[in-house]
Amino acid sequence: MSQISWLGPHDSFPNPLLTPDPDQSVPGLVAVSERIYPNQLLKAYKLGIFPWYSDEQPVLWWSPDPRMVLKPNDFHCSESLKKSIRHFCQDAQSALLVDADFGAVIRACATSTRKDQDGTWITHEIMDAYASIHEQGYAHSIAIMENGAMIGGLYCVAIGTMVYGESMFSRKPNASKLALAALSAWCIQNHVAMIDCQQETSHLRSMGAKPIPLLDFLQELQASVNQSNIVKPWKFDKQILTHWL
């Protein structure tokens, strides 16, 4: 059985395709570290690896097979969501804010109650790490606002032309779906082929996401992250949602 790598501050990540053992009890786990070291998060994403762990655990690094992805053109915009989009776009008191308050969005994701989930994987260390790469221009947030209050949103990571969805939250029906619809529309406009959704859930399936083999994901990822420039600046407003109408 292969051994899971314990990473120090200067160690390289193992190849996700070579690390997993079919018989191991935690398929998809490729490495462990004491903490998230500087620049380690970006290196992980470029290899298709992401952190997911709880406060009482060391940092666990994952690359599951299959990999859940959303091809932006496959985003399922239901009739009820289209109705919400029309109302949202016509409401003068509603707004969609991009990168306006990244910290508030990730904190909202961390503190939102989720069905069948006890606690959160978004630890203080995770929030600090993503805030750091946000400052470097690699992590972004979308906030859905109503009467000045944040009612939903998401945050993600973007490297080259690869977008990795991280977490969403919703305080009103369809609020997180509005954020994902906006992200999907932006990806279509900027020729982003897929959004990494990491792990399979029924909610993601209902939005159009599907699992693909890890090898296929990694091949698409390498072609995308090797693009020399990020697509266009992350500047858009709620009118991007009219793409779905």
Side-chain angles (χ1 to χ4, degrees):
M1 179 180 289
S2 60
Q3 297 295 313
I4 299 298
S5 299
W6 186 281
L7 303 180
H10 305 296
D11 293 334
S12 299
F13 284 98
N15 184 330
L17 291 174
L18 301 180
T19 304
D21 185 300
D23 297 323
Q24 72 180 46
S25 59
V26 280
L29 178 65
V30 299
V32 181
S33 62
E34 183 178 359
R35 57 183 293 261
I36 300 177
Y37 299 105
N39 299 317
Q40 193 178 42
L41 194 56
L42 286 177
K43 291 177 181 177
Y45 274 101
K46 291 178 181 180
L47 294 170
I49 299 169
F50 60 89
W52 185 48
Y53 64 104
S54 300
D55 263 329
E56 67 275 9
Q57 296 176 317
V59 181
L60 306 178
W61 299 92
W62 303 84
S63 189
D65 187 6
R67 190 70 164 239
M68 196 71 167
V69 302
L70 172 62
K71 295 182 179 180
N73 279 311
D74 290 343
F75 175 78
H76 177 61
C77 191
S78 65
E79 289 303 316
S80 64
L81 182 55
K82 288 180 181 179
K83 182 177 179 180
S84 294
I85 288 173
R86 291 188 187 95
H87 175 76
F88 182 73
C89 290
Q90 294 169 3
D91 183 2
Q93 300 304 312
S94 297
L96 183 153
L97 304 180
V98 179
D99 287 345
D101 193 340
F102 183 86
V105 173
I106 195 170
R107 286 193 300 273
C109 289
T111 56
S112 293
T113 302
R114 303 175 195 280
K115 183 180 179 181
D116 302 324
Q117 182 174 321
D118 183 18
T120 179
W121 66 273
I122 306 174
T123 65
H124 289 291
E125 183 179 26
I126 284 284
M127 287 190 273
D128 290 343
Y130 284 89
S132 176
I133 64 172
H134 167 66
E135 292 171 0
Q136 297 174 55
Y138 293 105
H140 302 278
S141 63
I142 297 174
I144 303 299
M145 310 294 294
E146 184 180 88
N147 297 317
M150 190 182 300
I151 62 169
L154 61 78
Y155 72 99
C156 60
V157 173
I159 303 173
T161 57
M162 183 68 203
V163 172
Y164 311 78
E166 284 304 311
S167 186
M168 301 184 292
F169 78 97
S170 188
R171 292 171 178 157
K172 285 195 173 184
N174 281 344
S176 63
K177 291 181 181 179
L178 289 172
L180 184 57
L183 177 61
S184 298
W186 182 87
C187 287
I188 291 169
Q189 291 182 8
N190 290 281
H191 310 291
V192 172
M194 69 181 183
I195 301 168
D196 176 28
C197 299
Q198 301 177 348
Q199 301 183 75
E200 186 170 357
T201 67
S202 58
H203 178 65
L204 288 170
R205 283 198 305 272
S206 72
M207 302 304 292
K210 298 176 181 177
I212 64 172
L214 179 61
L215 177 59
D216 293 353
F217 170 77
L218 294 177
Q219 289 174 339
E220 178 70 35
L221 178 147
Q222 288 307 314
S224 299
V225 300
N226 288 334
Q227 297 293 321
S228 58
N229 296 311
I230 184 63
V231 282
K232 295 179 181 178
W234 284 69
K235 294 181 180 178
F236 55 92
D237 58 25
K238 66 182 182 179
Q239 294 307 314
I240 199 167
L241 287 165
T242 60
H243 171 89
W244 301 108
L245 301 179

